Amino acid sequence: MKFFEDYRNSLKLAVDSVDIDVVKKAVDWIKEARDNGSQIFVFGNGGSASTAAHLACDLVKGASYQCDKRFKVLALTDNIQTITAYSNDVDYKDVFIEQLKNFINKDDLVIALSGSGNSENVIRAIDYANEYGCRTIGLSGMDGGRLRQKSQLSIHVENNHMGIIEDAHMIISHMFCYYFIDNGV
């Protein structure tokens, strides 16, 4: 029983460490991207890839269905053929940046997820998006790594346990989406 109670308590502390004002600002940026017709790109590795895909689905379907204003969201994690082609033929560190080069426009929104904040392919894509003129949001854990420093808006989870960081990132992603779903905005 102790393990489960400790995990739950650690997750509560991690979620409580998230700055809600920053989450609110992220939602404002997501809303502005939708209202301006800008694209939103999301990505990460491993569990963060799953969260990115889930976030994209919730915005495209849940927060857009039967709405006049709809989200244009692409999870760069979802095209396995492109990811494996770049990984095999170029380098894994290029799987996200090279996709952004195909699709990105100035003023788009880029959301990156990384538990450590130091995934090289995530950092390269954030650097590119910043240089291109996009807004960037980073969700990180641990000490935040380079993602925390390089993202224009950083949502940081104070915890070193990857599972708890990923749980908190999913909660934050649901805050993003359900703000629109529950409020009908």
Side-chain angles (χ1 to χ4, degrees):
M1 237 10 214
K2 182 167 176 14
F3 169 82
F4 302 106
E5 290 172 359
D6 289 348
Y7 191 98
R8 180 187 62 197
N9 291 336
S10 292
L11 179 57
K12 286 178 183 177
L13 289 172
V15 171
D16 285 344
S17 76
V18 174
D19 186 336
I20 295 300
D21 290 333
V22 178
V23 173
K24 166 73 169 85
K25 186 170 184 178
V27 167
D28 289 343
W29 285 12
I30 293 167
K31 183 180 185 301
E32 287 174 26
R34 180 200 63 190
D35 293 350
N36 295 333
S38 298
Q39 299 177 105
I40 302 171
F41 299 96
V42 296
F43 52 88
N45 295 293
S48 296
S50 295
T51 303
H54 191 129
L55 172 58
C57 174
D58 282 353
L59 286 172
V60 166
K61 191 268 182 191
S64 293
Y65 182 66
Q66 296 184 332
C67 295
D68 293 332
K69 294 181 182 177
R70 299 175 74 95
F71 290 96
K72 297 178 183 179
V73 185
L74 181 62
L76 301 181
T77 55
D78 288 356
N79 190 335
I80 196 66
Q81 298 85 349
T82 300
I83 290 171
T84 58
Y86 276 116
S87 296
N88 186 64
D89 300 340
V90 182
D91 197 299
Y92 189 69
K93 70 181 185 227
D94 294 323
V95 297
F96 301 131
I97 188 174
E98 290 301 324
Q99 290 184 75
L100 285 178
K101 288 177 182 178
N102 284 30
F103 300 115
I104 205 166
N105 294 299
K106 189 177 182 298
D107 299 324
D108 284 343
L109 178 61
V110 175
I111 303 173
L113 296 93
S114 174
S116 70
N118 287 314
S119 298
E120 190 61 32
N121 56 4
V122 170
I123 299 305
R124 289 173 54 81
I126 283 293
D127 283 343
Y128 180 78
N130 283 330
E131 291 167 11
Y132 202 87
C134 298
R135 284 182 163 173
T136 58
I137 299 172
L139 279 69
S140 64
M142 299 187 187
D143 69 359
R146 293 179 292 160
L147 182 61
R148 188 176 188 183
Q149 299 164 2
K150 292 175 176 271
S151 299
Q152 295 167 11
L153 190 61
S154 174
I155 301 173
H156 184 252
V157 175
E158 293 288 337
N159 202 285
N160 289 322
H161 187 282
M162 191 58 73
I164 289 172
I165 294 165
E166 290 173 351
D167 290 338
H169 285 174
M170 181 58 75
I171 291 168
I172 294 163
S173 295
H174 278 154
M175 285 183 200
F176 291 169
C177 297
Y178 281 91
Y179 170 81
F180 296 97
I181 296 168
D182 292 351
N183 292 300
V185 293

